[in-house]
Amino acid sequence: MVDSQYYLPNDIGISALDCGEAFRLLSPQEKMYAHNLSRAAWYGGLAVLLQTSPESANIFVLLQRIFRKQTPAQLEQVATAAGLSSEEYQAFLVYAAGLYANMGNYKSFGDTKFIPNLPKDKLKALVWASQAFQEQPSAMEALWDSCSGLLYSLEDRQKQLGLGDKGITTYFSGNCCLEDAELAQKFLDSKKLSAYNTRLFKKDNGGKACYEVRLASAVQKDCAVDGECESCCGSFSFEDKEFTVKRGDYGPLMEKVCHYLQQAQTYAANENQRKMLEEYQRSFTLGSVDAHKEGSRYWIKDKGPIVESYIGFIESYRDPFGSRGEFEGFVAVVNKAMSERFAKLVGSAEVLLPELPWPREFEKDTFLKPDFTSLDVLTFAGSGIPAGINIPNYDDIRQSEGFKNVSLGNVLAVAYATQKEKLTFLKEEDKDLFIKWKGPSFEVQVGLHELLGHGSGKLFVQDDQGKFNFDESKVVNPETGEPVSSWYRGSETWDSKFSTIASSYEECRAECVGLYLCLNKQALSIFGHDEQDAEDVVYVNWLSMVRAGLLGLEFYTPESKSWRQAHMQARFVILRVLLEAGEGLVGLEEVTGQDGKPDARITLDRSKIHTVGKNAIHRFLCKLQVFKSTADVDGGRALYDGYSTVSDSGAYNFLRLRETVLLRKEARKMFVQANTRVSGDSVELVEYEGSAAGLIRSFTERFQEDAEQLETNLLELNKRDATCWC
């Protein structure tokens, strides 16, 4: 019997993302702009298959070939004739939908593998009976043989993403370990190259290790091409090791991205958008992160556009080393009512920021007012859809030029709707209040987290010329009372310095800012919450955070003592901090449920949030910021790893509680997204029902015009590196 965490349940929530109204309000030019950006995002998003696991791309092609010939409804009769029960066929549809929604066979949130919840021989019988197989038996059999073993395999290392013996990754060849990742980072730093758009392959050259750093680009040539003074490619010796920098990763996909970015330029609303797209195109053509940074600068200048987008190798959560970006692209339309609330929050930032618990010198010299809009997602290609985004992730740009905040309104609307009977670990009397205020409190938390969380705090830097961005003779570390004695030097960044803990640590800092500032009456009234309602929003926001900390245990792997999800690790850390505060602020007890099985109950004393709770977060948040500002990796790691520890000793048996959480977990929802289609001079929105079948149809219709060529490209890209993962 397979552990249920490794398959998706048949009753998993699947919702359509509604953007019909927002799309209809666009002008014909805006619709064409949105359409071409969406196409670029969808084609680029397929790179995630190659960034996730050795088998993901081949499974994707197998499913596409089956469903291009027969819709889920047509295939159902074939399945029945092949001996599948209706539950088994539904399990197959849910698996296919899951693979599409996660862009691979590992969950985008939690990084665990999922396999089909039906016997392998039944799935094989269905594949053999499909029309796709009848028409091309040898090609389909070869495709099945190439991925069916790994499709079902749950060997220890294959259960989750990770580096070396800790899990599976395709950011590094299978023979790489942490030392290789660290060496490669030093090499990249020495060349002033970013790791964001790279993968690392280690090869044996006559007993000597040599490394290939491969850049994502449409161009396959390594020499300088049009528009380049010199190429960053070539062979280099570094610390007695051979490094080669090459181009061409995901080449055919990057070509498609560039083609549609070129098309979108025709419909750009202004010069900033045109220049932004030009630079993105240069980035994906040449494999240049510098060009992407330049595009991001124009993107920041494009304030309050009607159609908002971002595209590239962005979030580094899934690189086990924490510095390579997963491809994502989104296109969204402004939601005016919610955006007004966020604009007010931006306007109040100068009043709210000084409330944060660190000294003035640890805050940015001037708060760079970001764009903060609420958007309805039209397209979000990649491995999953977040509720809020704060980008770009380039620290040097964020420090001196600014950033944008995005809250995804139509995602928030469906992602966090919870049925009372599925609401775990709370007292009965908290449940109605929780359901009533979860949405509004989460909107407050997302706003504060993205804007004043990620947007706050200064990094102390000494540049290559020896110039400091702070007065090193005067600034005192509030934790030690001594002058600041460490900082970032030259090309060091937050990600390169804090590497494996950087993502989660920063999410924790931003979550703490949200908890801390939601206690501020002015912040709450911006969102329309006053008096008793405001107190309920605070209570549910804090209760939601401590409950999320408990739920976070699902994303911890005891065997490797590792966390698989940055945000959930952050929330567990906050739960630990609030439990440690004592004085009855948070209660966590193991109980027996009505079904006779283990259960847990979490409580929060609302009368102590403004005192005990606030003081605890004040102290912890100050520490997080000081270690971050001063580049104190050792201090930061000791603090963060300490609170991240999951053990069965101490006041709480978290390992046993993890079993209870797994027993009662609810699967994360999946989203069905619309397609856009050019019809004559206009663009149509094609919408699908919120079901596994709807999600599948959206993907088979997404790549209709060049399906066969695209599938061939994916199989060839995958085959090229097949020997590297063993």
Side-chain angles (χ1 to χ4, degrees), residues 697-715:
R697 287 195 63 177
S698 73
F699 266 89
T700 43
E701 292 180 15
R702 196 154 278 150
F703 304 105
Q704 275 173 319
E705 61 265 34
D706 62 346
E708 290 189 13
Q709 182 58 54
L710 178 66
E711 288 161 15
T712 302
N713 288 343
L714 280 170
L715 293 176

Side-chain angles (χ1 to χ4, degrees), residues 570-590:
R571 290 159 190 162
F572 176 75
V573 165
I574 292 169
L575 169 63
R576 290 280 312 272
V577 168
L578 294 176
L579 283 167
E580 186 184 87
E583 297 186 49
L585 172 69
V586 174
L588 173 59
E589 58 174 334
E590 295 183 67

Side-chain angles (χ1 to χ4, degrees), residues 155-167:
E155 287 177 24
D156 281 350
R157 185 169 163 237
Q158 285 156 5
K159 287 178 177 174
Q160 66 283 314
L161 299 179
L163 185 56
D165 57 4
K166 292 214 164 148

Side-chain angles (χ1 to χ4, degrees), residues 655-711:
L655 282 173
R656 194 167 61 215
L657 279 162
R658 177 181 172 272
E659 297 299 324
T660 305
V661 169
L662 287 173
L663 179 72
R664 301 190 177 276
K665 76 187 175 80
E666 185 184 358
R668 198 170 173 79
K669 275 191 180 144
M670 299 195 285
F671 298 110
V672 182
Q673 299 182 59
N675 283 321
T676 51
R677 187 165 60 203
V678 176
S679 176
D681 296 338
S682 62
V683 180
E684 299 175 345
L685 189 71
V686 186
E687 297 181 276
Y688 303 87
E689 67 171 24
S691 66
L695 207 161
I696 290 163
R697 287 195 63 177
S698 73
F699 266 89
T700 43
E701 292 180 15
R702 196 154 278 150
F703 304 105
Q704 275 173 319
E705 61 265 34
D706 62 346
E708 290 189 13
Q709 182 58 54
L710 178 66
E711 288 161 15

Side-chain angles (χ1 to χ4, degrees), residues 484-496:
V484 163
S485 58
S486 58
W487 46 81
Y488 298 84
R489 294 164 196 272
S491 60
E492 287 179 343
T493 65
W494 162 249
D495 274 336
S496 72

Side-chain angles (χ1 to χ4, degrees), residues 243-311:
F243 275 86
T244 309
V245 180
K246 295 176 85 73
R247 282 200 272 230
D249 217 359
Y250 328 116
L253 299 178
M254 294 300 106
E255 267 180 54
K256 296 293 284 191
V257 173
C258 292
H259 167 75
Y260 283 109
L261 291 176
Q262 177 77 49
Q263 302 286 98
Q265 280 180 51
T266 315
Y267 304 101
N270 55 52
E271 199 53 25
N272 277 327
Q273 283 183 2
R274 253 186 299 281
K275 290 229 173 84
M276 162 188 95
L277 294 175
E278 243 170 59
E279 292 295 341
Y280 289 165
Q281 202 180 329
R282 197 161 71 87
S283 169
F284 303 133
T285 301
L286 304 175
S288 163
V289 170
D290 284 341
H292 195 270
K293 279 185 166 182
E294 206 48 45
S296 298
R297 290 187 169 100
Y298 287 115
W299 178 71
I300 293 165
K301 289 175 192 162
D302 184 29
K303 300 281 185 196
I306 302 296
V307 177
E308 183 60 283
S309 67
Y310 198 59
I311 189 167

Side-chain angles (χ1 to χ4, degrees), residues 36 53 181 270 327 373 392 417 480 487 507 553 594 664 683:
N36 284 295
S53 72
N270 55 52
F327 195 95
T373 35
T480 62
W487 46 81
E507 292 307 329
L553 286 166
Q594 291 179 332
R664 301 190 177 276
V683 180

Side-chain angles (χ1 to χ4, degrees), residues 352-360 362 478-479 512-513 516-517 614 617-623 625-626:
L352 294 172
L353 277 172
E355 297 289 312
L356 290 170
W358 46 80
R360 174 73 195 88
F362 284 72
E479 294 298 311
C512 286
V513 169
Y516 193 77
L517 289 180
K614 185 179 182 181
I617 294 296
H618 181 289
R619 288 191 302 273
F620 182 61
L621 188 47
C622 190
K623 282 182 182 152
Q625 183 57 48
V626 169

